[in-house]
Amino acid sequence: RAQREVEALVGGVVLKTIGKAAQNIALTKSRLVAKEVYLPQCGYTMYYHEREAVVDGKGKFDQDKRNLNQPTILFFHGITQRSEDLAGFIASLDIPPHVRILCPEQMGHGRDIDNRLRADPDNYTLPTHHLMLESNSEFLDVVNCSSNTNSFGISLGGAACYYLQHHRPDIIKRTVLVSPAILCCVDKGLVNGIREGTNNFCCFESRHDVKLLMRDLSTGRDDYTREKWDPVPQFFLESVYRQSKKGAPAGHFRALLLNLLANTDSPFSAMKDVDADSHRLVMWPVKDRIINYEEGKRFFEVSSSGGDFASKRSNTEFESITYCGHVFHSDGRGILDIIKPRVRDYLLDFMHDDM
């Protein structure tokens, strides 16, 4: 007990000082600004972060008008995250200032928890894939997103990105999908563990659950061969556990996951790619224990020969990330640090970019 209190104190100080400072620096560098917009068809207020396009030091984009050729990039975050949590990654991409950046916060996360779930838990409805798709689609229209838009999504955000490109090819032209949480690709062992209550993925009941999750976000709790056994220092675990209890009401993310996993509607329950023509780069860690690499190859109909990959979909590029898990490489590096050069090159290839 005394050790846990000391670790909570030390880890908490680090998270609140260095962690908060790092987040503030990332937001400043990314130039993302917190905003909100009402979606009348969905009857929903969406929270998001935006970096407006700037040319020659002056703001160029008029939100009340749709500039069809305005280069724009959408970023979709993962499970339990907020719209600002990709700010550090976005800043590291060094995206030219004439490109507009939008980061919509997904239903069931962030300010949706703060302002709807906590305010009126008895009348709160868990989001479905369909509701998330409809809110993301309406968001594109309400903020006048141009038809010269590329997008990035990781994990849950990768699935949101995949379905949105399929739904709105008039807007989204190219996507980068990193371990997209398409239903049939979610690891079956993880799904069974969540349903049976033997795996507290994102639903921590102790700091031991945090430790196991961090190992699973690397190459797995049972992989004793990796270079960095615990990707996160032990003294952070108690603080992460306590912070998670403040981030959402107990059981929220487990309920959200079970609700999403139960979906049998089309196209979300499809076992193979439903979007034959879209241009996309799919990146998948080989040792992903959350979203299964082999299932991902089956879904996108990918074959391999001599280390090269080919999809039956002519516009799909598939790349593996060796010795890497869902979030952490076996040597402790974060996946976003590994993929950013390739992601940047792909996302900045716009249909029109003469600015």
Side-chain angles (χ1 to χ4, degrees), residues 105-121:
E105 193 164 81
Q106 298 306 291
M107 283 183 166
H109 293 75
R111 266 62 60 160
D112 188 38
I113 295 173
D114 298 341
N115 300 333
R116 289 206 310 135
L117 174 56
R118 293 190 190 279
D120 191 6

Side-chain angles (χ1 to χ4, degrees), residues 113-165:
I113 295 173
D114 298 341
N115 300 333
R116 289 206 310 135
L117 174 56
R118 293 190 190 279
D120 191 6
D122 294 335
N123 292 308
Y124 182 80
T125 302
L126 286 167
T128 63
H129 284 97
H130 179 73
L131 283 174
M132 293 171 76
L133 175 61
E134 289 301 311
S135 62
N136 284 326
S137 179
E138 187 178 357
F139 171 76
L140 299 183
D141 294 325
V142 172
V143 301
N144 290 306
C145 193
S146 85
S147 56
N148 189 25
T149 295
N150 296 337
S151 61
F152 170 92
I154 185 167
S155 194
L156 175 68
C161 190
Y162 170 79
Y163 293 118
L164 188 60
Q165 184 183 27

Side-chain angles (χ1 to χ4, degrees), residues 79-80 190 194 199-204 206-221 226 229-232 237 240 244 257 289-290 325-328:
I79 188 80
T80 77
L190 175 64
I194 293 171
N199 189 321
N200 292 323
F201 175 80
C202 294
C203 324
F204 310 131
S206 69
R207 70 172 186 170
H208 182 66
D209 289 336
V210 181
K211 178 170 66 176
L212 292 179
L213 174 64
M214 295 305 166
R215 291 175 180 175
D216 286 343
L217 292 177
S218 184
T219 58
R221 65 183 69 181
R226 68 172 169 268
W229 175 234
D230 281 308
V232 173
L237 300 181
V240 172
S244 72
L257 285 166
R289 297 297 180 261
I290 309 300
H326 194 65
V327 172
F328 300 108

Side-chain angles (χ1 to χ4, degrees), residues 19 43 82 105 120 138 151 172 190 211 220 225 246 267 285 303 309 326 344 351:
R82 293 173 173 250
E105 193 164 81
D120 191 6
E138 187 178 357
S151 61
I172 300 177
L190 175 64
K211 178 170 66 176
T225 65
K246 298 177 183 178
S303 60
F309 296 93
H326 194 65
R344 185 181 192 276
M351 180 178 61

Side-chain angles (χ1 to χ4, degrees), residues 225-239:
T225 65
R226 68 172 169 268
E227 181 180 339
K228 193 171 183 64
W229 175 234
D230 281 308
V232 173
Q234 292 285 324
F235 68 83
F236 274 123
L237 300 181
E238 186 70 24
S239 296

Side-chain angles (χ1 to χ4, degrees), residues 330-349:
S330 63
D331 64 10
R333 288 179 295 160
I335 189 172
L336 295 179
D337 288 331
I338 296 169
I339 66 175
K340 64 185 178 184
R342 183 73 173 99
V343 169
R344 185 181 192 276
D345 288 345
Y346 196 88
L347 287 179
L348 291 180
D349 186 1

